[in-house]
Amino acid sequence: MISENIKSIRSHVPEQVSLVAVSKYKPISALEEAYDAGQRMFGESKVQEMVGKYEQLPKDIAWHFIGHLQSNKVKYMIPFVSLIHGVDSWKILLQINKEAKKINRVVDCLLQFHIAQEETKFGLSEEEVQAFLNAEAFKELQNVRICGVMGMASNTEDEQQVCHEFANLKDIFLRLQQSYFSNQLAFKEISMGMSGDYKLAIEQGSTMVRVGSAIFGVREN
Ligand SMILES: *Cc1c(COP(=O)(O)O)cnc(C)c1O
């Protein structure tokens, strides 16, 4: 079942777009099934859960943290995390830098933008991001590398609205790229699109889709 879902989703996702299998709350056996189907990128939203799965599963998996991050949890994933999608405050970025520095790593991060209409979704505004990218203190962060942006569209049937929000995130990405990262090839990711809207996200320029329930089935929580 899981392997067929992956195959089917893969057929809609161009090769150059990364498929992050969002395995939050799912048992190890489900991840193993996806792994056996060739999946190597997994997304988790709780640090402890991700650490536990990392310890039990093969080491060629790329672990993506997609959840809301608390400062006191950062250190546990710094040794192995491949990409942190949800950087939504200056404080969290400082904390990631501090912990990464301790073990002499550079950790890849995406800046999370608030693009949806709902107030409940986390994320930064473009003004907030400009303020911290302009700050002298930002240039001193040697142990984080900003690789792009991430966002979640509104949870609505209105496809036009969703497309508009994704297009907005792409525009934000292009403006940041031009103003701050023009000579940095690593700034290339637009993480957008989930089970219900990944096709629309790809049409709007997503480079990375985060798909959970369409692969693993609906979650109880
Ligand atoms: C849970 C989650 C997903 C996956 O959601 P599905 O609708 O199950 O595909 C993607 N991104 C984030 C940030 C999530 O929290």
Side-chain angles (χ1 to χ4, degrees):
M1 194 56 185
I2 289 174
S3 68
E4 279 147 38
N5 292 343
I6 290 176
K7 230 178 268 164
S8 145
I9 290 165
R10 258 283 152 219
S11 73
H12 299 287
V13 176
E15 208 159 339
Q16 69 276 14
V17 174
S18 303
L19 171 61
V20 181
V22 175
S23 48
K24 59 187 184 191
Y25 312 129
K26 293 294 173 184
I28 291 284
S29 58
L31 283 79
E32 281 170 339
E33 205 177 324
Y35 183 90
D36 290 341
Q39 183 64 30
R40 291 294 180 273
M41 242 180 227
F42 290 87
E44 289 285 334
S45 62
K46 295 272 183 286
V47 173
Q48 281 98 330
E49 188 179 339
M50 186 167 79
V51 170
K53 287 172 173 172
Y54 163 74
E55 285 167 354
Q56 292 179 65
L57 287 163
K59 293 297 171 279
D60 61 344
I61 290 175
W63 293 97
H64 288 217
F65 189 80
I66 61 162
H68 178 64
L69 204 43
Q70 293 164 292
S71 299
N72 59 341
K73 304 277 173 62
V74 167
K75 60 174 177 285
Y76 303 109
M77 67 172 166
I78 291 301
F80 68 90
V81 70
S82 166
L83 181 63
I84 299 177
H85 289 235
V87 173
D88 61 2
S89 71
W90 173 243
K91 186 178 158 215
I92 280 293
L93 193 63
L94 286 181
Q95 187 69 21
I96 296 168
N97 186 73
K98 180 178 149 196
E99 295 297 336
K101 192 178 180 134
K102 283 183 191 166
I103 60 164
N104 205 19
R105 246 201 108 185
V106 176
V107 172
D108 287 348
C109 297
L110 304 180
L111 301 171
Q112 182 172 358
F113 284 87
H114 185 274
I115 55 169
Q117 281 180 325
E118 292 110 320
E119 278 179 21
T120 50
K121 295 202 167 133
F122 293 105
L124 297 151
S125 69
E126 203 169 351
E127 291 72 29
E128 285 173 292
V129 167
Q130 281 164 351
F132 74 65
L133 295 178
N134 284 326
E136 271 312 303
F138 176 70
K139 302 185 184 76
E140 284 158 27
L141 302 183
Q142 301 292 319
N143 295 82
V144 288
R145 181 167 71 162
I146 307 293
C147 295
V149 301
M150 179 267 211
M152 274 196 263
S154 297
N155 187 9
T156 169
E157 299 287 295
D158 183 349
E159 291 197 352
Q160 227 182 328
Q161 172 69 23
V162 171
C163 280
H164 176 78
E165 291 170 2
F166 286 148
N168 181 30
L169 186 60
K170 167 105 193 233
D171 287 342
I172 291 172
F173 169 84
L174 290 173
R175 286 193 290 271
L176 292 178
Q177 186 180 48
Q178 187 169 34
S179 307
Y180 299 98
F181 300 98
S182 57
N183 56 2
Q184 292 176 40
L185 292 177
F187 190 84
K188 62 181 170 59
E189 303 294 354
I190 305 173
S191 167
M192 59 186 189
M194 318 198 332
S195 293
D197 56 19
Y198 72 90
K199 290 176 193 163
L200 297 177
I202 289 167
E203 282 169 22
Q204 297 303 321
S206 174
T207 66
M208 206 171 246
V209 292
R210 310 176 309 269
V211 179
S213 44
I215 294 177
F216 296 106
V218 290
R219 291 175 296 272
E220 274 89 71
N221 19 12

